[in-house]
Amino acid sequence: MRSTKITLFMLTTILASTALAQPTDHDGPTFDGDGTVNVPAFRLPPSALSSQEARQAQAMRGRIPVGEMTSNETPDINSRRAQLDRMMSPRVAQMKALYPVDIKDGTIAGIRVRIITPKDGDFDPERILVNLHGGAFTVCWDSCSLVESLPIASLGKYKIVSVDYRMAPENRHPAGVEDAAAVYRQLLNSYKAEHIGVFGCSAGGALTAQLAAWLPANGLPQMGAAGIFGAGGVRFQSGDSAYVTAKTDGSFPGPAEDGTLEIDMTRGYFDGSDLDDPVLSPALHADVIKMFPPTLITTGTRAMDMSPAIYTNSQLLKADVESTLIVGEAMGHCYQYNPALPESRDAYAATVKHFRKHLD
């Protein structure tokens, strides 16, 4: 009898708490029977927890057409690539001024690469980093390879090899991960696997996760450490953040209500692929994710990649893989591309610290 009274009391308390938690004005969210939340329009001010520089950058967003860098309005891929490089050229120049390096073009395993070293020639001869650039598996080799690599090479005193992997629309998966693995395999002739780190942002972050899944499955030793930035070990535009940031950041379109993508930014790169397979979504497979190296993951509270990043970190920790997650307050997708932000500089420092610790 006493147990029944306690149960009834707990149930009454829960029901009362639930009732109190329901919105009392018409501007609050409403909830469908299947769990769908109907969110009203609202204003999102600059975060008081972000840096002054970040708030100033946010204020400038009104002058930039939303989604300009990720739209597919220019259908010809070569024109689109040239257009994006022109847009990114001031940022590349800024990075070169802040982080002096030497840049040489070359080939490894028949694949075009860019070799980046500190300007003073002082770098660790026994350790090397591989960069897999961002750009939705379609664009940004010329620009993103530099924007992502320069600060890490200069600050960390590393030699970095950035890979010009095959992209869409000319190619399909697994072209990119095959190229990354070919370069990695060649580097094993000169470096120990535990002394090779791999990192990338956006598509390059996703490709880093793919490579970490690909190597053990294809008889190659695992890399020493990974950096998955602006991405996760599951497909892009999955989870809550894809929907939320489509409305709060606007750089990327959100999925349709049924979860399908209205715009394929990869231009068919994954056509014919199972996006849940162990290479494309290793975080969905416990036996694959447990083989990952120590991993640093970065995202932002206004980044569409936040959910994949958080989920991947959780799965790595569950698998007893060392993982560090950095979520930049009020930061958008691949915020490290802007070196003027203290949050970006913190991310560079964390990246250098991560590879120094785990490539030892």
Side-chain angles (χ1 to χ4, degrees):
M1 186 66 163
R2 177 177 175 80
S3 176
T4 301
K5 288 181 178 180
I6 292 174
T7 302
L8 289 172
F9 174 78
M10 291 176 63
L11 180 60
T12 303
T13 302
I14 292 170
L15 290 173
S17 299
T18 302
L20 289 172
Q22 296 303 310
T24 56
D25 68 57
H26 63 281
D27 290 329
T30 59
F31 301 86
D32 296 343
D34 65 353
T36 298
V37 184
N38 302 289
V39 182
F42 69 100
R43 293 172 62 83
L44 179 63
S47 173
L49 300 179
S50 62
S51 67
Q52 182 62 38
E53 292 88 342
R55 293 195 291 273
Q56 291 172 349
Q58 189 66 27
M60 294 178 63
R61 282 295 300 274
R63 308 175 198 173
I64 303 173
V66 171
E68 180 177 341
M69 292 184 66
T70 55
S71 72
N72 282 331
E73 292 180 4
T74 304
D76 177 70
I77 190 60
N78 292 321
S79 298
R80 178 59 179 151
R81 288 168 182 161
Q83 177 192 40
L84 184 56
D85 286 331
R86 287 193 298 272
M87 291 173 59
M88 292 283 286
S89 60
R91 186 54 48 80
V92 172
Q94 183 184 22
M95 285 288 196
K96 286 181 175 179
L98 288 171
Y99 304 106
V101 297
D102 287 324
I103 304 167
K104 295 182 180 179
D105 291 328
T107 59
I108 296 178
I111 298 161
R112 185 165 67 147
V113 299
R114 184 167 277 157
I115 300 171
I116 300 158
T117 52
K119 192 71 174 178
D120 60 9
D122 179 21
F123 59 89
D124 188 335
E126 296 183 0
R127 292 161 182 79
I128 194 166
L129 300 183
V130 177
N131 167 251
L132 304 175
H133 68 88
F137 293 97
T138 62
V139 295
C140 213
W141 151 248
D142 283 334
S143 302
C144 291
S145 64
L146 297 176
V147 169
E148 296 177 24
S149 299
L150 265 60
I152 309 306
S154 180
L155 296 171
K157 299 296 184 181
Y158 281 115
K159 179 179 182 178
I160 296 180
V161 174
S162 187
V163 181
D164 184 14
Y165 56 87
R166 287 172 290 166
M167 299 185 290
E170 300 92 340
N171 301 282
R172 298 285 182 270
H173 170 77
V177 70
E178 286 177 343
D179 287 353
V183 171
Y184 180 87
R185 186 192 299 270
Q186 190 70 29
L187 290 175
L188 288 173
N189 293 329
S190 303
Y191 300 90
K192 297 178 180 179
E194 58 266 32
H195 289 171
I196 303 175
V198 183
F199 72 100
C201 205
S202 192
L207 191 53
T208 298
Q210 292 173 25
L211 183 62
W214 180 277
L215 296 178
N218 288 272
L220 292 171
Q222 185 60 274
M223 65 187 76
I228 300 174
F229 309 146
V234 292
R235 65 181 178 86
F236 272 117
Q237 293 181 284
S238 57
D240 285 352
S241 61
Y243 293 88
V244 174
T245 62
K247 306 301 182 184
T248 58
D249 179 75
S251 296
F252 297 89
E257 287 190 10
D258 63 359
T260 60
L261 302 181
E262 296 182 349
I263 298 176
D264 179 13
M265 294 179 295
T266 73
R267 298 194 181 216
Y269 180 76
F270 295 107
D271 282 358
S273 298
D274 176 5
L275 295 180
D276 291 338
D277 83 9
V279 170
L280 292 180
S281 291
L284 300 180
H285 302 270
D287 59 327
V288 176
I289 203 76
K290 72 179 182 181
M291 303 296 290
F292 267 48
T295 302
L296 173 66
I297 304 172
T298 66
T299 185
T301 61
R302 300 189 183 186
M304 61 91 174
D305 49 82
M306 182 172 64
S307 289
I310 290 172
Y311 183 82
T312 301
N313 177 67
S314 297
Q315 298 309 302
L316 286 166
L317 294 177
K318 188 185 297 186
D320 290 327
V321 176
E322 185 168 346
S323 179
T324 300
L325 173 66
I326 296 175
V327 183
E329 171 63 16
M331 296 294 103
H333 181 63
C334 289
Y335 63 91
Q336 296 99 313
Y337 281 21
N338 184 355
L341 303 182
E343 292 89 348
S344 295
R345 298 193 293 273
D346 288 346
Y348 305 153
T351 301
V352 170
K353 182 178 180 180
H354 171 69
F355 285 120
R356 281 182 179 166
K357 176 181 179 182
H358 295 295
L359 299 186
D360 196 4

